[in-house]
Amino acid sequence: MTLTTRRVRLARKPEHAIETTDFLIDEVVLDEPQEGQLLLRPLYLSLDPYLLSFMRSWSGPQRDWAEGIISSRYIAQVLASKAEGFVEGDLVIGDGHWQDLEVRSAKGLKLVAASSLSPSLHLGVIGAPGVTAWAGVTDVLQPAQG
């Protein structure tokens, strides 16, 4: 069985401000998950400032950036699992493509613990950006009374 999904990618390198014409939506065909893989539905995508430099250079930590395929941190729901430790319905955090569905290795993904907090907060205030801000204020800025 194969699935077709939509993917957001770069149409060109953004110049100054990002514009909608810098992006396009294409369709990609996904194979069924194999052993050690998951079928995921991204729910929340990060749009952190560092991504702009990747978009302007079409290079980043994933090889796909050279083709204009955008990857960032995301929170995704597991729709199907062939990986130990992950079941349908789990929420995970990791790096992935900006697309409706994705089949990828479970390696590098972490489960998001059930909580009354919105899962999206793991991409912000209780995730890496929040920890970075906290460290900057407490360790670098070191505010004091007065």
Side-chain angles (χ1 to χ4, degrees):
M1 177 180 113
T2 57
L3 299 168
T4 303
T5 191
R6 297 176 306 161
R7 173 176 58 197
V8 177
R9 61 179 295 153
L10 293 167
R12 63 181 184 196
K13 294 179 182 180
E15 302 257 337
H16 299 288
I18 295 176
E19 301 177 16
T20 56
T21 54
D22 294 330
F23 302 94
L24 59 87
I25 297 175
D26 60 10
E27 288 193 356
V28 293
V29 176
L30 304 175
D31 293 323
E32 283 187 51
Q34 301 300 309
E35 194 62 36
Q37 294 184 322
L38 304 169
L39 172 62
L40 301 170
R41 173 180 286 129
L43 303 175
Y44 302 99
L45 301 169
S46 74
L47 186 53
D48 295 320
Y50 73 87
L51 290 173
L52 183 57
S53 65
F54 295 165
M55 289 178 184
R56 286 187 175 145
S57 66
W58 281 38
S59 65
Q62 295 84 8
R63 289 178 296 180
D64 294 343
W65 275 100
E67 299 170 29
I69 299 171
I70 305 167
S71 294
S72 70
R73 301 286 288 159
Y74 65 21
I75 303 291
Q77 182 177 33
V78 176
L79 299 181
S81 173
K82 293 214 174 168
E84 190 175 319
F86 297 90
V87 297
E88 183 179 335
D90 281 346
L91 293 182
V92 296
I93 186 169
D95 292 331
H97 298 119
W98 287 11
Q99 54 193 59
D100 291 332
L101 299 171
E102 182 168 40
V103 173
R104 60 154 290 172
S105 168
K107 188 176 181 180
L109 294 175
K110 294 182 180 163
L111 290 169
V112 174
S115 161
S116 61
L117 298 173
S118 170
S120 66
L121 294 176
H122 290 271
L123 297 176
V125 74
I126 62 174
V131 171
T132 301
W134 174 82
V137 170
T138 58
D139 294 346
V140 178
L141 199 61
Q142 297 181 348
Q145 187 173 0

